[in-house]
Amino acid sequence: MRAYLDNGNTTPVDKRVVEAMKPYFTEKFGHPLFIYSEGKEANEAVENASEYIASTVGSRDGVVTFTSGVTEASDLALRGAVRARKNEGNHIITSEIENPSVLRVCEELEKRGFEVDYLGVDEKGFIDLEELKSLVRGETILVSIAHVSDEIGTIEPIKDIGEIIKDKNPSTYFHADIAASYGRVPFDMEKAKVDMVSLGAHLIHGPKGVGALIAGDKIELEPVNYGYLSLSKIRPGTENVPGIVGFKKAAEVSFEDFDSKVERIRSLRDKLISKIESTISKTVLHGARGDQRSPANVNFSFKNIEGESIMMHLDMRGISVATGSACATRKLEPSHVLTAIGVDPVVAHGAIRFTLSRMNTEEEIDYTLEVLPKVVKKLRKMSPMKS
Amino acid sequence: MRAYLDNGNTTPVDKRVVEAMKPYFTEKFGHPLFIYSEGKEANEAVENASEYIASTVGSRDGVVTFTSGVTEASDLALRGAVRARKNEGNHIITSEIENPSVLRVCEELEKRGFEVDYLGVDEKGFIDLEELKSLVRGETILVSIAHVSDEIGTIEPIKDIGEIIKDKNPSTYFHADIAASYGRVPFDMEKAKVDMVSLGAHLIHGPKGVGALIAGDKIELEPVNYGYLSLSKIRPGTENVPGIVGFKKAAEVSFEDFDSKVERIRSLRDKLISKIESTISKTVLHGARGDQRSPANVNFSFKNIEGESIMMHLDMRGISVATGSACATRKLEPSHVLTAIGVDPVVAHGAIRFTLSRMNTEEEIDYTLEVLPKVVKKLRKMSPMKS
């Protein structure tokens, strides 16, 4: 049996998505900028996808800019916004537990003279709303906070955050990376007073190589890349039309029977959490519980052993999981998110993240629950660390 | 009958390419950064594609950076190089007939204080080698010249250009956009002393949304986008693995029986050119002839009528072509390339570009040659311009 439980990093493409994309490879292959038949067909597909995807995040007049993925979308959101608004201020706020796609851009902006405040979080990963309130000021041109932590699954109170920002400075742009919540946690950008969201298709069983930035129609953005014309005013280059069509289809499948799909994932999550806690000693669940946690996320440390070793041993038995943060796979530093919520570095090294999707089955979870205690037991026996 | 003759803007994906990609959507769907089974499988696919694609441009130690397309590849090449080398000079050379993906970046670099010289071209579109020789100097950090003009098909003497640049300043980087020549005109980046090339899959019957920058291993580049880790040191974001696999397959098909495939396209090109010239009066072929012209490119002006009208009328009869430059479709300015080779603006407005591919058939060309004279005749009758 193979149980893929790293859907927070990427997901298998749904077969219906592949079917939807197929004609756009071989038949409806036109360039959407051109006004002959093949071009019009492609153009229409991109327009339809824009409209539909905007509707799934509660955007009525939003402008959808298709990108090569979440990373490019967040880069465009952050740098595009501060470039457009650099005369109005140079202050940016984000949090310590953002995905590297946001943090690396913020670090780059610091080098270019912007002042960036990194909000702290509590032991469950909730950002400090009082700190946020105290930091937003006249020169604050941008706040970027993810809806859900991709690593520990904590659902931030996005509406409260939006209200605090807009109360203190209505002209501050609020960007939310919703890659980890899209299709899993209900979200409405207008209700939450979010001006821009970044999302990616390959996290909802769509194809890699396509993402989107959705921004309110009054949001000013400057390009961060230059080149050949496209349908977008701010993002150059030929649109990935089949990818965009696949993105739309993946979203359609995700939002069809949304509640029951999410309920199923949540029940798998709860089974995984409760059984791990009842069958394995010395575990620490990172992040919040219940409704405050993404239905797709489980993140545990197993004391006295390395997450890296657990991952390798699970892989040998057919189970794929991540250790700590996605980006931490090829370096051995403890995850920046676990550090931010105050986890001891030694404990952080024993962290394993399981991310579920609607494609996971109860059998896969049962199999994981059968294998995991044995792996942990074996590794603890071999461990040089005191138990 | 439908005859798609705008393969210079985009191409239908080869069915073999779709087949090659398929398993990477649904089964081998892993994230190439991760070291569990699905990740290793994806990683291997990206490595294999890198190696193969590098070999097709004559690069032995080259570093392949997969991007979302040619536009991103050229942006990264140009801005990435000048950022890495800004302490060594601020002079850049390009030509007046480059694709917008290069020209827009150069214009942006001018705004940021770089000095850019735009080489003139002769009436066939060949750059002025003497002018190039006179312009390369100690502060010249970058020269960017396309191997083949995507609009008029002129094949630049890339080896002579490389030699002139390196003779005058061995440390000047030479970038060539090979999007319009890749898979159609033989090219070897090491023999031509080219340091960096940009290319895109969707111009050789591969998928949209994937391109590559290939750079010599000693070439220094800084990132122009920021974010989540990837296999690349300079380009963030999850790799488009199925797209990369499709890119490799498209290249394999293109380079299999390369000579005979190219010969077939060339014979279709020559039939199109000679029949248009013998059956339609007052035509002007733009660009060079014979071996100095891309086997895939035909670009004619039909005097006293608008290219736009010809395109629309051909589309109604099932034939897709471009007017003037690709990027000119939604604006009515004459093509910058035709202007650069000295074509009168009125004549430039009557330009139609046919770009062929190995998927075009003799029947399609015959059909086009049957329809085109009728369309031109009809439009000339209606034309208010003197004939």
Side-chain angles (χ1 to χ4, degrees), chain A residues 201-237:
Chain A
H202 79 104
L203 299 165
I204 56 160
H205 302 289
K208 292 178 181 64
V210 58
L213 169 63
I214 305 176
D217 61 341
K218 288 181 187 66
I219 299 303
E220 289 171 59
L221 291 168
E222 282 195 15
V224 299
N225 287 96
Y226 307 92
Y228 188 77
L229 281 186
S230 72
L231 296 178
S232 159
K233 276 179 205 155
I234 51 165
R235 199 269 183 182

mmCIF file of all heavy atoms in Angstrom, chain A residues 201-237:
data_model
loop_
_atom_site.group_PDB
_atom_site.id
_atom_site.type_symbol
_atom_site.label_atom_id
_atom_site.label_comp_id
_atom_site.label_asym_id
_atom_site.label_seq_id
_atom_site.Cartn_x
_atom_site.Cartn_y
_atom_site.Cartn_z
ATOM 1 N N ALA A 201 -2.818 25.939 -8.056
ATOM 2 C CA ALA A 201 -3.638 24.807 -8.489
ATOM 3 C C ALA A 201 -3.138 23.473 -7.949
ATOM 4 O O ALA A 201 -3.923 22.578 -7.648
ATOM 5 C CB ALA A 201 -3.671 24.752 -10.014
ATOM 6 N N HIS A 202 -1.823 23.319 -7.819
ATOM 7 C CA HIS A 202 -1.292 21.978 -7.526
ATOM 8 C C HIS A 202 -1.505 21.559 -6.068
ATOM 9 O O HIS A 202 -1.152 20.449 -5.682
ATOM 10 C CB HIS A 202 0.181 21.860 -7.944
ATOM 11 C CG HIS A 202 1.156 22.480 -6.992
ATOM 12 N ND1 HIS A 202 1.920 21.725 -6.142
ATOM 13 C CD2 HIS A 202 1.481 23.758 -6.756
ATOM 14 C CE1 HIS A 202 2.698 22.538 -5.437
ATOM 15 N NE2 HIS A 202 2.451 23.767 -5.790
ATOM 16 N N LEU A 203 -2.115 22.440 -5.271
ATOM 17 C CA LEU A 203 -2.432 22.066 -3.896
ATOM 18 C C LEU A 203 -3.874 21.589 -3.765
ATOM 19 O O LEU A 203 -4.307 21.173 -2.695
ATOM 20 C CB LEU A 203 -2.142 23.247 -2.970
ATOM 21 C CG LEU A 203 -0.659 23.649 -3.006
ATOM 22 C CD1 LEU A 203 -0.439 25.017 -2.385
ATOM 23 C CD2 LEU A 203 0.195 22.593 -2.294
ATOM 24 N N ILE A 204 -4.635 21.683 -4.860
ATOM 25 C CA ILE A 204 -6.033 21.207 -4.828
ATOM 26 C C ILE A 204 -6.276 20.188 -5.946
ATOM 27 O O ILE A 204 -7.331 20.191 -6.583
ATOM 28 C CB ILE A 204 -7.053 22.372 -4.927
ATOM 29 C CG1 ILE A 204 -6.812 23.224 -6.196
ATOM 30 C CG2 ILE A 204 -7.018 23.256 -3.691
ATOM 31 C CD1 ILE A 204 -8.029 24.049 -6.620
ATOM 32 N N HIS A 205 -5.283 19.359 -6.219
ATOM 33 C CA HIS A 205 -5.400 18.318 -7.249
ATOM 34 C C HIS A 205 -5.502 18.904 -8.660
ATOM 35 O O HIS A 205 -6.080 18.284 -9.558
ATOM 36 C CB HIS A 205 -6.566 17.368 -6.946
ATOM 37 C CG HIS A 205 -6.434 16.698 -5.616
ATOM 38 N ND1 HIS A 205 -5.487 15.734 -5.376
ATOM 39 C CD2 HIS A 205 -7.085 16.885 -4.429
ATOM 40 C CE1 HIS A 205 -5.582 15.335 -4.115
ATOM 41 N NE2 HIS A 205 -6.532 16.020 -3.513
ATOM 42 N N GLY A 206 -4.963 20.093 -8.824
ATOM 43 C CA GLY A 206 -4.793 20.689 -10.144
ATOM 44 C C GLY A 206 -3.334 20.534 -10.567
ATOM 45 O O GLY A 206 -2.528 19.950 -9.833
ATOM 46 N N PRO A 207 -3.001 21.071 -11.748
ATOM 47 C CA PRO A 207 -1.633 20.896 -12.251
ATOM 48 C C PRO A 207 -0.610 21.822 -11.594
ATOM 49 O O PRO A 207 -0.955 22.916 -11.154
ATOM 50 C CB PRO A 207 -1.780 21.245 -13.735
ATOM 51 C CG PRO A 207 -2.937 22.202 -13.782
ATOM 52 C CD PRO A 207 -3.880 21.773 -12.692
ATOM 53 N N LYS A 208 0.623 21.391 -11.567
ATOM 54 C CA LYS A 208 1.732 22.274 -11.203
ATOM 55 C C LYS A 208 1.914 23.299 -12.316
ATOM 56 O O LYS A 208 1.509 23.085 -13.448
ATOM 57 C CB LYS A 208 3.030 21.475 -11.048
ATOM 58 C CG LYS A 208 3.029 20.547 -9.855
ATOM 59 C CD LYS A 208 4.335 19.755 -9.799
ATOM 60 C CE LYS A 208 4.358 18.797 -8.632
ATOM 61 N NZ LYS A 208 3.301 17.738 -8.743
ATOM 62 N N GLY A 209 2.555 24.428 -11.985
ATOM 63 C CA GLY A 209 2.884 25.414 -13.011
ATOM 64 C C GLY A 209 1.797 26.448 -13.236
ATOM 65 O O GLY A 209 1.869 27.216 -14.189
ATOM 66 N N VAL A 210 0.806 26.487 -12.340
ATOM 67 C CA VAL A 210 -0.214 27.535 -12.471
ATOM 68 C C VAL A 210 -0.753 27.948 -11.102
ATOM 69 O O VAL A 210 -1.025 27.124 -10.236
ATOM 70 C CB VAL A 210 -1.347 27.144 -13.469
ATOM 71 C CG1 VAL A 210 -2.026 25.858 -13.067
ATOM 72 C CG2 VAL A 210 -2.375 28.251 -13.645
ATOM 73 N N GLY A 211 -0.830 29.239 -10.928
ATOM 74 C CA GLY A 211 -1.365 29.820 -9.703
ATOM 75 C C GLY A 211 -2.063 31.108 -10.069
ATOM 76 O O GLY A 211 -2.185 31.433 -11.251
ATOM 77 N N ALA A 212 -2.533 31.823 -9.069
ATOM 78 C CA ALA A 212 -3.217 33.076 -9.371
ATOM 79 C C ALA A 212 -3.048 34.071 -8.246
ATOM 80 O O ALA A 212 -2.952 33.713 -7.071
ATOM 81 C CB ALA A 212 -4.706 32.830 -9.625
ATOM 82 N N LEU A 213 -3.003 35.323 -8.652
ATOM 83 C CA LEU A 213 -3.135 36.434 -7.716
ATOM 84 C C LEU A 213 -4.488 37.060 -8.031
ATOM 85 O O LEU A 213 -4.770 37.389 -9.182
ATOM 86 C CB LEU A 213 -2.009 37.451 -7.953
ATOM 87 C CG LEU A 213 -2.163 38.789 -7.220
ATOM 88 C CD1 LEU A 213 -2.147 38.602 -5.704
ATOM 89 C CD2 LEU A 213 -1.049 39.746 -7.641
ATOM 90 N N ILE A 214 -5.332 37.173 -7.008
ATOM 91 C CA ILE A 214 -6.627 37.831 -7.211
ATOM 92 C C ILE A 214 -6.622 39.101 -6.374
ATOM 93 O O ILE A 214 -6.361 39.057 -5.168
ATOM 94 C CB ILE A 214 -7.792 36.911 -6.805
ATOM 95 C CG1 ILE A 214 -7.685 35.579 -7.579
ATOM 96 C CG2 ILE A 214 -9.145 37.595 -7.084
ATOM 97 C CD1 ILE A 214 -8.724 34.545 -7.194
ATOM 98 N N ALA A 215 -6.864 40.226 -7.029
ATOM 99 C CA ALA A 215 -6.794 41.517 -6.341
ATOM 100 C C ALA A 215 -8.048 42.312 -6.612
ATOM 101 O O ALA A 215 -8.613 42.256 -7.711
ATOM 102 C CB ALA A 215 -5.567 42.294 -6.816
ATOM 103 N N GLY A 216 -8.485 43.062 -5.632
ATOM 104 C CA GLY A 216 -9.629 43.944 -5.816
ATOM 105 C C GLY A 216 -9.377 44.898 -6.978
ATOM 106 O O GLY A 216 -8.230 45.212 -7.295
ATOM 107 N N ASP A 217 -10.451 45.349 -7.621
ATOM 108 C CA ASP A 217 -10.266 46.140 -8.856
ATOM 109 C C ASP A 217 -9.640 47.502 -8.608
ATOM 110 O O ASP A 217 -9.180 48.148 -9.546
ATOM 111 C CB ASP A 217 -11.583 46.257 -9.635
ATOM 112 C CG ASP A 217 -12.669 46.953 -8.833
ATOM 113 O OD1 ASP A 217 -12.531 47.024 -7.587
ATOM 114 O OD2 ASP A 217 -13.639 47.429 -9.426
ATOM 115 N N LYS A 218 -9.607 47.954 -7.357
ATOM 116 C CA LYS A 218 -8.989 49.259 -7.082
ATOM 117 C C LYS A 218 -7.537 49.134 -6.613
ATOM 118 O O LYS A 218 -6.874 50.140 -6.369
ATOM 119 C CB LYS A 218 -9.824 50.016 -6.045
ATOM 120 C CG LYS A 218 -11.129 50.510 -6.657
ATOM 121 C CD LYS A 218 -11.978 51.280 -5.672
ATOM 122 C CE LYS A 218 -13.327 51.582 -6.305
ATOM 123 N NZ LYS A 218 -14.142 50.346 -6.555
ATOM 124 N N ILE A 219 -7.081 47.914 -6.494
ATOM 125 C CA ILE A 219 -5.715 47.685 -6.004
ATOM 126 C C ILE A 219 -4.706 48.006 -7.104
ATOM 127 O O ILE A 219 -4.810 47.501 -8.220
ATOM 128 C CB ILE A 219 -5.572 46.210 -5.544
ATOM 129 C CG1 ILE A 219 -6.543 45.924 -4.401
ATOM 130 C CG2 ILE A 219 -4.134 45.889 -5.146
ATOM 131 C CD1 ILE A 219 -6.398 46.820 -3.189
ATOM 132 N N GLU A 220 -3.745 48.859 -6.770
ATOM 133 C CA GLU A 220 -2.717 49.218 -7.755
ATOM 134 C C GLU A 220 -1.509 48.307 -7.606
ATOM 135 O O GLU A 220 -0.985 48.131 -6.504
ATOM 136 C CB GLU A 220 -2.255 50.654 -7.524
ATOM 137 C CG GLU A 220 -3.292 51.692 -7.890
ATOM 138 C CD GLU A 220 -2.845 53.061 -7.420
ATOM 139 O OE1 GLU A 220 -1.773 53.508 -7.845
ATOM 140 O OE2 GLU A 220 -3.573 53.661 -6.602
ATOM 141 N N LEU A 221 -1.073 47.766 -8.731
ATOM 142 C CA LEU A 221 0.085 46.877 -8.722
ATOM 143 C C LEU A 221 0.987 47.233 -9.893
ATOM 144 O O LEU A 221 0.504 47.576 -10.972
ATOM 145 C CB LEU A 221 -0.367 45.416 -8.876
ATOM 146 C CG LEU A 221 -1.116 44.812 -7.695
ATOM 147 C CD1 LEU A 221 -1.760 43.489 -8.098
ATOM 148 C CD2 LEU A 221 -0.172 44.595 -6.519
ATOM 149 N N GLU A 222 2.271 47.141 -9.674
ATOM 150 C CA GLU A 222 3.201 47.292 -10.793
ATOM 151 C C GLU A 222 3.803 45.935 -11.106
ATOM 152 O O GLU A 222 3.913 45.084 -10.231
ATOM 153 C CB GLU A 222 4.299 48.288 -10.435
ATOM 154 C CG GLU A 222 3.785 49.699 -10.553
ATOM 155 C CD GLU A 222 4.891 50.735 -10.580
ATOM 156 O OE1 GLU A 222 6.063 50.366 -10.792
ATOM 157 O OE2 GLU A 222 4.558 51.902 -10.380
ATOM 158 N N PRO A 223 4.189 45.722 -12.359
ATOM 159 C CA PRO A 223 4.789 44.425 -12.690
ATOM 160 C C PRO A 223 6.117 44.222 -11.962
ATOM 161 O O PRO A 223 6.791 45.188 -11.602
ATOM 162 C CB PRO A 223 5.023 44.502 -14.201
ATOM 163 C CG PRO A 223 4.801 45.908 -14.606
ATOM 164 C CD PRO A 223 4.092 46.622 -13.515
ATOM 165 N N VAL A 224 6.467 42.965 -11.761
ATOM 166 C CA VAL A 224 7.806 42.648 -11.237
ATOM 167 C C VAL A 224 8.597 41.845 -12.263
ATOM 168 O O VAL A 224 9.767 41.542 -12.049
ATOM 169 C CB VAL A 224 7.747 41.907 -9.880
ATOM 170 C CG1 VAL A 224 7.063 42.768 -8.835
ATOM 171 C CG2 VAL A 224 7.058 40.560 -9.988
ATOM 172 N N ASN A 225 7.950 41.472 -13.346
ATOM 173 C CA ASN A 225 8.640 40.830 -14.467
ATOM 174 C C ASN A 225 8.261 41.581 -15.739
ATOM 175 O O ASN A 225 7.219 42.224 -15.791
ATOM 176 C CB ASN A 225 8.249 39.348 -14.577
ATOM 177 C CG ASN A 225 8.866 38.518 -13.477
ATOM 178 O OD1 ASN A 225 8.241 38.263 -12.454
ATOM 179 N ND2 ASN A 225 10.109 38.136 -13.651
ATOM 180 N N TYR A 226 9.110 41.458 -16.739
ATOM 181 C CA TYR A 226 8.923 42.242 -17.958
ATOM 182 C C TYR A 226 9.026 41.345 -19.159
ATOM 183 O O TYR A 226 9.724 40.336 -19.131
ATOM 184 C CB TYR A 226 9.985 43.346 -18.021
ATOM 185 C CG TYR A 226 9.988 44.155 -16.760
ATOM 186 C CD1 TYR A 226 10.825 43.800 -15.702
ATOM 187 C CD2 TYR A 226 9.078 45.188 -16.577
ATOM 188 C CE1 TYR A 226 10.781 44.493 -14.500
ATOM 189 C CE2 TYR A 226 9.021 45.886 -15.384
ATOM 190 C CZ TYR A 226 9.875 45.534 -14.343
ATOM 191 O OH TYR A 226 9.809 46.210 -13.160
ATOM 192 N N GLY A 227 8.345 41.721 -20.237
ATOM 193 C CA GLY A 227 8.495 40.938 -21.458
ATOM 194 C C GLY A 227 7.287 40.991 -22.352
ATOM 195 O O GLY A 227 6.552 41.980 -22.388
ATOM 196 N N TYR A 228 7.125 39.903 -23.053
ATOM 197 C CA TYR A 228 6.093 39.728 -24.063
ATOM 198 C C TYR A 228 4.709 40.030 -23.508
ATOM 199 O O TYR A 228 4.411 39.717 -22.362
ATOM 200 C CB TYR A 228 6.164 38.280 -24.556
ATOM 201 C CG TYR A 228 5.299 37.979 -25.743
ATOM 202 C CD1 TYR A 228 5.692 38.380 -27.013
ATOM 203 C CD2 TYR A 228 4.107 37.294 -25.583
ATOM 204 C CE1 TYR A 228 4.894 38.093 -28.103
ATOM 205 C CE2 TYR A 228 3.307 37.004 -26.671
ATOM 206 C CZ TYR A 228 3.707 37.411 -27.932
ATOM 207 O OH TYR A 228 2.914 37.132 -29.011
ATOM 208 N N LEU A 229 3.875 40.604 -24.323
ATOM 209 C CA LEU A 229 2.502 40.906 -23.930
ATOM 210 C C LEU A 229 1.739 39.664 -23.480
ATOM 211 O O LEU A 229 2.049 38.550 -23.870
ATOM 212 C CB LEU A 229 1.734 41.470 -25.117
ATOM 213 C CG LEU A 229 1.947 42.924 -25.489
ATOM 214 C CD1 LEU A 229 0.979 43.292 -26.596
ATOM 215 C CD2 LEU A 229 1.712 43.820 -24.287
ATOM 216 N N SER A 230 0.701 39.891 -22.725
ATOM 217 C CA SER A 230 -0.212 38.802 -22.338
ATOM 218 C C SER A 230 -1.572 39.435 -22.103
ATOM 219 O O SER A 230 -1.741 40.641 -22.274
ATOM 220 C CB SER A 230 0.293 38.126 -21.074
ATOM 221 O OG SER A 230 0.090 38.987 -19.970
ATOM 222 N N LEU A 231 -2.530 38.632 -21.702
ATOM 223 C CA LEU A 231 -3.849 39.181 -21.398
ATOM 224 C C LEU A 231 -3.791 40.087 -20.177
ATOM 225 O O LEU A 231 -4.620 40.968 -19.999
ATOM 226 C CB LEU A 231 -4.847 38.048 -21.139
ATOM 227 C CG LEU A 231 -5.149 37.117 -22.315
ATOM 228 C CD1 LEU A 231 -6.113 36.029 -21.868
ATOM 229 C CD2 LEU A 231 -5.751 37.894 -23.483
ATOM 230 N N SER A 232 -2.808 39.846 -19.319
ATOM 231 C CA SER A 232 -2.680 40.606 -18.082
ATOM 232 C C SER A 232 -1.905 41.891 -18.320
ATOM 233 O O SER A 232 -0.964 41.920 -19.109
ATOM 234 C CB SER A 232 -1.955 39.751 -17.052
ATOM 235 O OG SER A 232 -1.400 40.550 -16.039
ATOM 236 N N LYS A 233 -2.280 42.936 -17.609
ATOM 237 C CA LYS A 233 -1.533 44.190 -17.730
ATOM 238 C C LYS A 233 -0.240 44.139 -16.923
ATOM 239 O O LYS A 233 0.663 44.935 -17.151
ATOM 240 C CB LYS A 233 -2.388 45.356 -17.199
ATOM 241 C CG LYS A 233 -3.344 45.896 -18.244
ATOM 242 C CD LYS A 233 -4.177 47.032 -17.648
ATOM 243 C CE LYS A 233 -5.481 47.159 -18.409
ATOM 244 N NZ LYS A 233 -6.546 47.752 -17.616
ATOM 245 N N ILE A 234 -0.193 43.267 -15.926
ATOM 246 C CA ILE A 234 0.971 43.308 -15.039
ATOM 247 C C ILE A 234 1.834 42.062 -15.087
ATOM 248 O O ILE A 234 2.903 42.034 -14.499
ATOM 249 C CB ILE A 234 0.554 43.566 -13.562
ATOM 250 C CG1 ILE A 234 -0.550 42.594 -13.127
ATOM 251 C CG2 ILE A 234 0.127 44.998 -13.361
ATOM 252 C CD1 ILE A 234 -0.753 42.554 -11.635
ATOM 253 N N ARG A 235 1.420 41.013 -15.808
ATOM 254 C CA ARG A 235 2.222 39.791 -15.830
ATOM 255 C C ARG A 235 2.462 39.377 -17.274
ATOM 256 O O ARG A 235 1.529 38.954 -17.962
ATOM 257 C CB ARG A 235 1.482 38.689 -15.060
ATOM 258 C CG ARG A 235 2.352 37.554 -14.622
ATOM 259 C CD ARG A 235 2.393 36.439 -15.658
ATOM 260 N NE ARG A 235 3.198 35.319 -15.171
ATOM 261 C CZ ARG A 235 3.431 34.231 -15.889
ATOM 262 N NH1 ARG A 235 2.899 34.085 -17.090
ATOM 263 N NH2 ARG A 235 4.179 33.285 -15.415
ATOM 264 N N PRO A 236 3.707 39.498 -17.734
ATOM 265 C CA PRO A 236 3.987 39.200 -19.142
ATOM 266 C C PRO A 236 4.085 37.701 -19.393
ATOM 267 O O PRO A 236 4.211 36.908 -18.467
ATOM 268 C CB PRO A 236 5.339 39.858 -19.372
ATOM 269 C CG PRO A 236 6.030 39.746 -18.049
ATOM 270 C CD PRO A 236 4.938 39.874 -17.008
ATOM 271 N N GLY A 237 4.036 37.326 -20.657
ATOM 272 C CA GLY A 237 4.263 35.927 -21.040
ATOM 273 C C GLY A 237 2.985 35.204 -21.405
ATOM 274 O O GLY A 237 1.921 35.462 -20.855
#
